[in-house]
Amino acid sequence: MSANQITSDTSSTATPRGYWANYPRFLWQSLRAATDGSPLFYGWMTLLTAVALVGVNGWAHQYASGMIVTHMTDHVSWGLYIANFTFGVGLAAGGVMMVIPAYLYRNRAMHDVVILGELLAVAAIIICTLFIAVDLGRPDRFWHIIPGLGRFNWPISMLTWDVIVLNGYLLINLHICGYLLYTKFQGRTPNRWWYIPFVFLSIIWAISIHTVTAFLYQGLGGRPFWNTALLAPRFLASAFVSGPIFLILTMLILKKIAGIQLPSQAIKLLVQIVRVTILINLLMVASELFTEFYTGAAHSVHAYYLFFGLHGHNALVPWIWTAIVLNVLAAIFFLNRSALESPTWLTIACLMGLVGIWIEKGMGLIVPGFVPSTLHQIVEYVPSLTEWQITAGIWAFGLMVYSVGLKIAIPIFRAASHDE
Amino acid sequence: MSQEQDTKNRDSNSETPQKRAGMELPILGQVSRRTAIKGAAAVAGVAALGVAAAPMLQKTAELSAAEFMQRHFKELTDEDKRIIFERLENEAQEKYDAEVQIGDHPPIRGVRFGYAINLSLCNGNGKCMEACHRENNHDRATQQSYIRIFEMPVGTTDFEQGNTSYDHEVPQKSHYYLPVQCFQCDNPPCVSVCPVEATWQESDGIVVVDYNWCIGCRYCMAACPYHARRFNWKEPEIPADEVNPDQGYLSNRIRPQGVVEKCHFCLHRTRVGKLPACLEACPTGARIFGDLMDPDSNIRWVLANKRCFTIKEELGTKPMMFYFFD
C-alpha cells in the first residue's frame, strides 16, 4: 500500500462520514476475525461455550431455588464466588505490569504486546463483575446500586468505591484497546493525546482497584483476620505476580499452539518482574504469619484454623499448604535462571505460581475470615457442586472474551508493526 | 486477518459504493458456506443458552413489575406505602394462605431504646429464642431465631469456650448463660458498609432493613462483629396457622428470598407501647427493656445502679444492649 492511500484514508476518517463508514467495517472485520479460525480455535471456543452454559444453568437453578444451593451459611456468608472475585481483581490489576515497562520506561518491544495486558484487564474485570453478580441474593435488584437510579451509599460504603474503580478501569481499558485497534486497523498512527493520558490513568487506576478491594475486607473491625494494614500491599504484591504470570502463559500458549511468535524480550522482562514480586509477596506472607503465630493472641485463631485446623476442623489445611508449597516452588524456579530457559519449566513454574496465588487470594483469604465466626463458632465451608459449576462457567466466559480479544488484536497489531 | 486482506479492505474503502458492492459479492460467495455454518452455530448457541437458563423462568414470572420498580422505603409516600402493604398482604395470602396486616410503625419522637440482661438470672431456658422464632415469622425447618444463647463456663467471657447447641437440663452447674441478638449499635458497622442504603438506623436507635431494597450482597454480615444478621438462603416456610398476622414492614413480615434480616427490638410491638416478645416470654425476669431518654425507666435504673458491660466494647460499635451480674 502506498503512503498516499494512507493519507487519503486518514483524511477521509477525519470527516464524520468516513467514521460512520469505517467504524462498522472495523466491527464487521473484528466479528469475522473472532469467528474465523483453525479447527483448534473452533474446538477451544466450543469447549468454553459449553462450560459457560453449564455455569448459566447452575446460576439459573440458584436464582430459582435461592442461595441454599450453595454451601454458604450465616456463619460463612461469602465463599467461592467472592474468593474468585478477589483473585480476578488481582489479575486485572496485574495486567498493568505490561503497561508500566511499555509506557513508563518506553520499552519498544513491550509496545507490540502491551495490548495483551489491556485485554487481560478487560476480561478479568468482566469476570469480577460476574462473580459479584452471581453472589447477589437479589440479582433482579442490581439497579439499586446504579448511581442516579438507585441509592448509592458513596463515599461511606467501600463497595460503592469498588463499583466505581472497577467500572472505571473497564472503561479506561476498553477505550485504550478500542482506540489502538481501530486506528491500527485503519493504518493510522494513533494520536498520542487520545490514549497516552489514559494509559497513565490506567496505571494509577490499576493500583486503586486492588487497594479498594483490599479495603473492603481490611476496614472491617469485627474480622481480625482481614483487619490488618498489610492487606492492601499484600494484594498488590500478589497481583503483580499473578498478572504477569498469566501474560507469560498467554504468550507461551500462543507460540506453542497458534504458532504466533511475539517478541521474546517481552517474556524475559515479565519473568524479571515476577522474580521480584514473587519474593515481595512471600516476604509479606511471612511477616503476617510471624505476627499471627508469635503473638498467639485470640486474634490468631483464624490463622491457626487456616494452617493447622481447630478442634478437629481442618477443611482449609490442605488448600493453604498446597498454596504455600506452590508459591515457594514457583519462587525457587523463577530465581533459577537456567530452569526458565526451557518453555516447559517456565510453564510449570507459571502454573504453580498462578494456582498458588489463586488459593492464597481466594479460599485462603476469604473463608478463614469467617471461621471461627465473630462469636467464635466453627462452621466449616466446602463449596457445593453448583458453586463450582457457576465458577467454571464464569472463568470459561472470561477466557472466551480474552481469546476473542487476542484473536482480533494480534493480527491488527502485527500488520501495523509490519507497516512500520 | 492477513496483511493482504487488510490492504484489500482499505482499498475497497476508497472505491465508489457500486464498485465496492461488486467487489464484495465474490467474497460473499467464498464465505457463504462458512457463514451458513457460523449462523447455524450461533442459532444453536442461543438455543442452548435458552435451555440452560430455563430454570429461572418461573421465578422471573413471579416477580411483579410493581415489586421490581419499588423505590427505597424512605422515598415512599403514605399512599405508596398503602399500595405496597396491600400488595404484600395479598402475596402473604397467596403464598402462605395467611391473612396478615402489615403496618408502618414509625419511630416515636424523643425515644431511644435500650436493653439489658441480668446474667445472674438468665438460666438458658431458651424461651426467648422460641418466642422470637414465632413472633418474627422465622422459617420453621431451620429453627431460625434472632437470639442465640451461649452456655459459658464460669470464669471466662471468651465466646470460644461457649456452646450454643446445648441440649440438656438448665442451668448446668458452674455455667452461666449469655443470650445475644442484635445490639442495635449506636455506631453500626453494618449500616456503613451497605452499598445501597438498604439498612439504616432509625431515630429510636433501631437498625432496620428494607427487605424490598436489599440486594443480598451480605457485606453487612461480614461487617457485623456479633453475628447478628441472617440471610434468607431460601424462601421461609411457615404453616398458615402459625403465621403471626401482626406484622411490620420493617420488622417481622415474612421475608423474601435472598435478603438479609436481623433483630429489630420487635419494633411493631415496642413502638406501640408493648414489650419485645423475647422479654415477655422470659420466665426468669432477666430482661429489662425501655426508653433510655426517660429518666424514670427501668433501663435507666439498671444503667445507673448496676455495673453493666457491653460485648467487644473495644471495637467502638457502642452497643445498646447491656449485660450485668447481680
Side-chain angles (χ1 to χ4, degrees):
Chain A
M1 183 192 311
S2 72
N4 203 7
Q5 267 170 321
I6 297 177
T7 332
S8 71
D9 234 331
T10 316
S11 62
S12 77
T13 54
T15 67
R17 206 173 143 266
Y19 174 81
W20 291 114
N22 263 329
Y23 200 69
R25 227 162 48 81
F26 165 63
L27 291 182
W28 175 246
Q29 289 294 337
S30 301
L31 184 70
R32 271 189 47 187
T35 52
D36 262 341
S38 63
L40 191 73
F41 177 70
Y42 283 126
W44 169 242
M45 293 304 280
T46 309
L47 175 73
L48 291 180
T49 310
V51 177
L53 287 174
V54 168
V56 169
N57 188 245
W59 183 75
H61 277 293
Q62 179 183 296
Y63 181 78
S65 317
M67 300 195 74
I68 191 85
V69 300
T70 72
H71 282 173
M72 287 184 270
T73 55
D74 284 343
H75 288 86
V76 185
S77 48
W78 282 341
L80 193 61
Y81 302 148
I82 297 297
N84 276 283
F85 158 77
T86 312
F87 174 75
V89 176
L91 217 48
V96 81
M97 272 300 165
M98 208 136 187
V99 180
I100 290 176
Y103 292 101
L104 231 46
Y105 295 96
R106 294 164 190 250
N107 185 322
R108 283 298 306 165
M110 292 302 262
H111 267 263
D112 292 339
V113 287
V114 70
I115 193 89
L116 263 64
E118 285 148 1
L119 288 172
L120 173 62
V122 169
I125 293 286
I126 289 173
I127 288 172
C128 293
T129 314
L130 289 175
F131 273 116
I132 292 290
V134 300
D135 192 61
L136 292 183
R138 296 302 298 227
D140 51 310
R141 297 183 187 163
F142 72 95
W143 65 273
H144 294 185
I145 204 168
I146 300 172
L149 274 183
R151 282 172 84 97
F152 201 56
N153 190 13
W154 187 82
I156 302 298
S157 170
M158 288 318 294
L159 206 48
T160 57
W161 282 88
D162 223 23
V163 169
I164 294 172
V165 293
L166 290 178
N167 284 299
Y169 195 61
L170 180 63
L171 290 179
I172 293 169
N173 279 288
L174 278 177
H175 165 75
I176 297 172
C177 292
Y179 179 75
L180 288 182
L181 286 179
Y182 181 51
T183 48
K184 291 196 185 227
F185 165 80
Q186 291 176 300
R188 282 198 290 150
T189 312
N191 180 345
R192 290 177 60 81
W193 289 105
W194 272 107
Y195 75 102
I196 294 289
F198 292 97
V199 165
F200 282 96
L201 186 62
S202 84
I203 292 173
I204 303 163
W205 213 285
I207 311 276
S208 85
I209 62 168
H210 222 16
T211 307
V212 169
T213 304
F215 284 2
L216 280 184
Y217 312 107
Q218 189 171 333
L220 303 180
R223 302 279 175 191
F225 187 68
W226 299 333
N227 191 212
T228 153
L230 195 56
L231 204 66
R234 259 186 78 187
F235 269 41
L236 288 171
S238 63
F240 296 152
V241 178
S242 60
I245 275 182
F246 199 90
L247 293 168
I248 296 172
L249 279 174
T250 306
M251 286 190 266
L252 289 173
I253 291 168
L254 285 175
K255 186 178 170 191
K256 176 89 185 168
I257 294 179
I260 297 170
Q261 179 80 53
L262 294 162
S264 60
Q265 221 193 317
I267 289 187
K268 280 194 185 131
L269 190 64
L270 287 176
V271 167
Q272 279 167 11
I273 291 172
V274 174
R275 256 183 208 147
V276 179
T277 54
I278 204 167
L279 286 185
I280 296 177
N281 187 45
L282 279 179
L283 176 73
M284 288 187 183
V285 173
S287 170
E288 195 97 83
L289 291 184
F290 169 78
T291 317
E292 296 278 17
F293 291 121
Y294 191 83
T295 322
H299 287 171
S300 321
V301 72
H302 303 279
Y304 268 103
Y305 168 72
L306 176 61
F307 280 88
F308 305 112
L310 208 60
H311 308 305
H313 300 278
N314 42 29
L316 284 180
V317 175
W319 286 85
I320 198 65
W321 285 108
T322 308
I324 296 288
V325 168
L326 288 176
N327 278 337
V328 170
L329 281 180
I332 293 170
F333 270 106
F334 269 96
L335 289 178
N336 187 337
R337 195 177 286 268
S338 58
L340 294 186
E341 275 171 13
S342 128
T344 315
W345 283 113
L346 181 56
T347 310
I348 291 170
C350 285
L351 284 174
M352 288 194 299
L354 199 64
V355 176
I357 302 279
W358 178 71
I359 296 174
E360 190 214 306
K361 276 289 147 311
M363 292 290 282
L365 177 90
I366 304 303
V367 181
F370 293 102
V371 189
S373 67
T374 44
L375 293 183
H376 298 270
Q377 279 155 301
I378 301 175
V379 174
E380 296 203 275
Y381 164 79
V382 175
S384 73
L385 183 62
T386 310
E387 285 175 271
W388 281 114
Q389 280 174 7
I390 295 176
T391 301
I394 292 176
W395 277 107
F397 182 76
L399 285 176
M400 273 167 82
V401 172
Y402 189 50
S403 306
V404 165
L406 293 174
K407 187 78 175 34
I408 296 169
I410 291 175
I412 295 180
F413 259 68
R414 298 177 90 205
S417 74
H418 281 296
D419 282 352
E420 284 163 20
Chain B
M1 193 197 318
S2 73
Q3 206 193 331
E4 289 81 358
Q5 246 180 323
D6 200 22
T7 315
K8 210 187 288 174
N9 290 326
R10 276 181 216 152
D11 286 344
S12 73
N13 185 43
S14 56
E15 304 283 353
T16 61
Q18 291 87 348
K19 248 184 159 179
R20 204 188 301 161
M23 274 186 71
E24 267 174 18
L25 274 174
I27 298 173
L28 273 175
Q30 272 169 25
V31 296
S32 67
R33 193 167 155 263
R34 199 164 253 249
T35 312
I37 294 171
K38 274 191 207 173
V43 170
V46 171
L49 180 67
V51 173
M56 64 184 291
L57 283 179
Q58 201 203 330
K59 199 80 190 171
T60 313
E62 276 175 30
L63 180 72
S64 69
E67 187 189 340
F68 178 74
M69 302 289 286
Q70 187 180 323
R71 302 291 319 173
H72 187 277
F73 183 75
K74 288 183 184 173
E75 294 167 23
L76 301 177
T77 64
D78 286 348
E79 178 60 12
D80 292 340
K81 284 180 188 169
R82 193 186 60 75
I83 295 167
I84 289 165
F85 294 178
E86 203 179 290
R87 191 189 81 222
L88 291 170
E89 285 165 1
N90 289 339
E91 276 175 18
Q93 181 81 56
E94 275 166 37
K95 272 194 187 160
Y96 295 91
D97 197 22
E99 205 152 303
V100 306
Q101 292 82 47
I102 297 176
D104 189 0
H105 312 292
I108 307 162
R109 214 177 239 280
V111 168
R112 195 72 212 236
F113 288 123
Y115 213 153
I117 296 182
N118 185 340
L119 297 175
S120 301
L121 289 179
C122 178
N123 63 11
N125 60 73
K127 290 284 181 233
C128 51
M129 293 195 320
E130 288 170 29
C132 176
H133 179 68
R134 285 192 307 274
E135 177 69 29
N136 290 312
N137 293 312
H138 282 290
D139 179 52
R140 290 300 182 254
T142 45
Q143 288 282 306
Q144 193 64 274
S145 170
Y146 295 137
I147 304 173
R148 289 178 315 139
I149 305 176
F150 282 81
E151 185 178 66
M152 305 281 285
V154 167
T156 181
T157 54
D158 182 0
F159 282 98
E160 206 182 333
Q161 300 186 45
N163 173 19
T164 54
S165 53
Y166 61 87
D167 184 20
H168 47 231
E169 206 171 283
V170 290
Q172 291 277 302
K173 208 170 174 296
S174 320
H175 283 81
Y176 71 100
Y177 295 84
L178 200 156
V180 290
Q181 60 203 75
C182 174
F183 297 155
Q184 319 292 351
C185 301
D186 197 25
N187 180 22
C190 53
V191 169
S192 327
V193 299
C194 178
V196 294
E197 300 176 11
T199 183
W200 65 91
Q201 186 178 39
E202 302 229 292
S203 65
D204 56 5
I206 297 176
V207 175
V208 293
V209 180
D210 182 349
Y211 311 123
N212 274 43
W213 192 258
C214 171
I215 58 172
C217 72
R218 307 189 297 292
Y219 195 11
C220 56
M221 298 177 77
C224 174
Y226 305 110
H227 190 68
R229 287 176 171 255
R230 310 278 185 274
F231 185 69
N232 288 279
W233 300 97
K234 63 179 179 67
E235 218 151 68
E237 284 168 43
I238 314 156
D241 57 332
E242 290 181 28
V243 171
N244 175 7
D246 173 23
Q247 302 184 355
Y249 178 87
L250 293 174
S251 63
N252 65 336
R253 70 179 163 106
I254 305 173
R255 271 76 65 194
Q257 172 183 302
V259 303
V260 171
E261 59 174 80
K262 60 181 285 301
C263 165
H264 37 74
F265 276 2
C266 279
L267 65 82
H268 55 284
R269 297 170 57 95
T270 49
R271 285 177 180 174
V272 295
K274 293 194 224 166
L275 287 164
C278 47
L279 187 149
E280 269 191 358
C282 177
T284 66
R287 290 175 170 263
I288 300 108
F289 182 82
D291 179 9
L292 293 168
M293 308 301 275
D294 173 7
D296 300 324
S297 62
N298 287 345
I299 186 81
R300 280 288 287 269
W301 186 88
V302 166
L303 288 177
N305 293 286
K306 300 290 177 182
R307 282 158 293 169
C308 291
F309 66 95
T310 56
I311 309 279
K312 298 195 193 181
E313 190 182 354
E314 72 277 11
L315 294 179
T317 49
K318 302 201 176 76
M320 288 297 127
M321 186 114 186
F322 305 91
Y323 295 91
F324 65 97
F325 291 93
D326 250 342

